[in-house]
Amino acid sequence: MQERGYYDRFGGAYLPEILVATFDELEAAFIEARRDPAFWKTYADLMSSYSGRPTPLTFAENLTRQFGGARIYIKREDLNHTGAHKANNVMGQGLLVKAMGKRRVIAETGAGQHGVATATMAAKFGFDCTIYMGEVDVLRQRPNVFWMERLGATVVPVKDGSRTLKDAINEAFRDWVTNMDSTHYVLGTACGPHPFPTLVTYFQSIIGQEARKQVLEATGQLPKRVYACVGGGSNAMGLFSGFLDDREVELIGVEAGGDGLGTSRHAARLAGDDASVGVAQGYKTYFLQDADGQMRETHSVAAGLDYVGVSPILAHHKESGRVRFEAATDAQVVDALALSMRQEGLIPALESCHAFAQAFAEAGQLTPEDVILINQSGRGDKDIFTVADAFGDPAWEQFIKDKARQYGA
Ligand SMILES: *Cc1c(COP(=O)(O)O)cnc(C)c1O
């Protein structure tokens, strides 16, 4: 076991000896890339031609009028190819894989969004691609599995344990240990052993770099408050990194409050006091765990926020006080979605709606002199089943019944 890459008392790389050389190789490739000014340009050009960057900044005029407080601006990461900020990370890692001369990528995915993004990157770069997914998730997320396979990836259903995300993570590590020479493990968020939290944040920082410039251009001032949802923490770290040095800008990370922080059904690791510091999956952070260190079941209406750990960099920013953490409940999130659709014609992902809900709750505390910025981390098209269910749409239920009959279910 080795320890390195700490953010204050969080992070590190708790690795089996056999993986140490592979992490050294990855860190060396990352350090080399970061030192080379041509690398960022290659990355930004790729994101521009392939993923529509820079993504726009939208003034939410109607919502601003409704709350009568701060002027609300929205950073549109939903307009990336594959529909979320995840593209920034996977395409960046694709360039590193090329630099390391590897030919194969693996990833694990729960809801399937990171799997689709990785399979897309692999197709674009010509890499072989294997995606590990718990068997339960494979059944729950058929549309994403379908797209991954069409994109040329092999999707492996993991039948161990609870047959969900954490079992898929174990299986992906097992693959990596066997195939380190040819294979890179594309981690999906700013978690995991060093250097992943730094590396993923580096690629996602393109969000904050653009957003800071765009807000200044649009309003001539910095935002008073900046909101992002927090699953593993990559879109939040990406946006926040544009403003970390602006001490007057308040940064707010919004976690999944699920049924409420007073219940056991949520995924708030930093907003409440349910989580405790521990080491799991190769790094040290706040985990939702019981007294014996067993990981707890988490819950959120947004699958992308439904995770027991959180970025060690955000854990550090919580303790330093630089970032404030809040939680939005499932009910608040569905309300925020309804409002965003009706008022602005935007369909933010349920994950992103956590940031929207918190910003909506606070906008009226500020004045029209103030500007606030919300990250729309992804688009909500993927949530159609969940949202139709939440809104209780009878025509939709009939549609599903008819389809089931058509396919003999
Ligand atoms: C995956 C996902 C998230 C959560 O991941 P972070 O690493 O916390 O950013 C948030 N929003 C969307 C749209 C996602 O797809």
Side-chain angles (χ1 to χ4, degrees), residues 194-214:
H194 179 76
F196 278 111
T198 313
L199 185 158
V200 174
T201 297
Y202 170 74
F203 290 122
Q204 295 292 2
S205 72
I206 197 166
I207 306 172
Q209 285 183 26
E210 287 175 8
R212 187 177 190 281
K213 196 159 152 270
Q214 289 169 320

Side-chain angles (χ1 to χ4, degrees), residues 10-223:
F10 303 105
Y14 297 77
L15 299 170
E17 196 56 40
I18 190 168
L19 275 175
V20 170
T22 302
F23 273 78
D24 284 343
E25 180 190 19
L26 175 62
E27 189 174 16
F30 173 51
I31 289 170
E32 179 57 34
R34 206 163 43 168
R35 200 163 27 209
D36 175 7
F39 182 85
W40 185 265
K41 181 166 173 3
T42 305
Y43 169 65
D45 287 350
L46 174 66
M47 293 314 290
S48 160
S49 66
Y50 193 65
S51 196
R53 302 210 74 93
T55 57
L57 183 74
T58 299
F59 175 46
E61 197 178 350
N62 303 325
L63 287 168
T64 295
R65 196 178 315 113
Q66 159 142 1
F67 294 114
R71 281 170 287 154
I72 302 171
Y73 282 83
I74 298 171
K75 177 63 171 163
R76 300 292 305 281
E77 290 303 299
D78 57 310
L79 296 176
N80 275 291
H81 181 38
T82 68
H85 69 293
K86 288 187 167 71
N88 304 329
N89 172 40
V90 296
M91 296 307 287
Q93 289 197 43
L95 291 175
L96 286 182
V97 175
K98 233 170 80 173
M100 289 187 289
K102 295 189 174 185
R103 301 263 334 148
R104 178 173 178 262
V105 292
I106 58 173
E108 98 293 315
T109 190
Q113 297 301 117
H114 176 57
V116 171
T118 302
T120 301
M121 176 274 277
K124 165 80 175 156
F125 282 102
F127 302 143
D128 290 334
C129 179
T130 301
I131 305 292
Y132 290 94
M133 210 168 166
E135 194 179 38
V136 171
D137 293 328
V138 168
L139 294 173
R140 281 196 291 219
Q141 305 291 340
R142 181 62 208 159
N144 283 331
V145 174
F146 176 82
W147 286 127
M148 283 181 246
E149 291 176 343
R150 300 281 84 69
L151 287 159
T154 304
V155 179
V156 178
V158 176
K159 298 176 179 9
D160 296 337
S162 59
R163 297 174 292 141
T164 56
L165 182 61
K166 81 173 160 31
D167 312 292
I169 294 175
N170 292 338
E171 204 53 39
F173 269 105
R174 222 165 285 153
D175 179 317
W176 206 13
V177 166
T178 319
N179 301 298
M180 300 170 287
D181 292 342
S182 66
T183 300
H184 173 68
Y185 180 177
V186 184
L187 220 116
T189 187
C191 288
H194 179 76
F196 278 111
T198 313
L199 185 158
V200 174
T201 297
Y202 170 74
F203 290 122
Q204 295 292 2
S205 72
I206 197 166
I207 306 172
Q209 285 183 26
E210 287 175 8
R212 187 177 190 281
K213 196 159 152 270
Q214 289 169 320
V215 174
L216 281 173
E217 274 167 16
T219 70
Q221 67 192 83
L222 286 171

Side-chain angles (χ1 to χ4, degrees), residues 224-340:
K224 186 127 184 156
R225 295 180 187 172
V226 171
Y227 299 85
C229 66
V230 179
S234 72
N235 86 89
M237 277 309 304
L239 182 64
F240 293 170
S241 53
F243 301 93
L244 274 175
D245 296 335
D246 304 309
R247 307 302 299 191
E248 68 274 33
V249 178
E250 191 181 11
L251 306 173
I252 300 109
V254 189
E255 296 183 294
D259 290 349
L261 293 199
T263 75
S264 63
R265 283 170 53 82
H266 65 76
R269 298 119 321 165
L270 298 175
D273 49 14
D274 271 8
S276 50
V277 177
V279 174
Q281 293 163 7
Y283 69 112
K284 186 174 182 180
T285 192
Y286 280 91
F287 288 98
L288 285 165
Q289 54 191 339
D290 65 22
D292 303 326
Q294 287 294 315
M295 293 303 146
R296 281 171 35 181
E297 289 287 311
T298 53
H299 165 80
S300 171
V301 69
L305 305 188
D306 198 350
Y307 177 53
V308 288
V310 68
S311 177
I313 313 181
L314 285 175
H316 160 60
H317 286 315
K318 176 195 160 80
E319 290 207 340
S320 76
R322 182 66 188 92
V323 179
R324 164 159 68 93
F325 289 90
E326 303 287 350
T329 64
D330 289 353
Q332 290 168 329
V333 160
V334 170
D335 286 349
L337 172 63
L339 201 58
S340 307

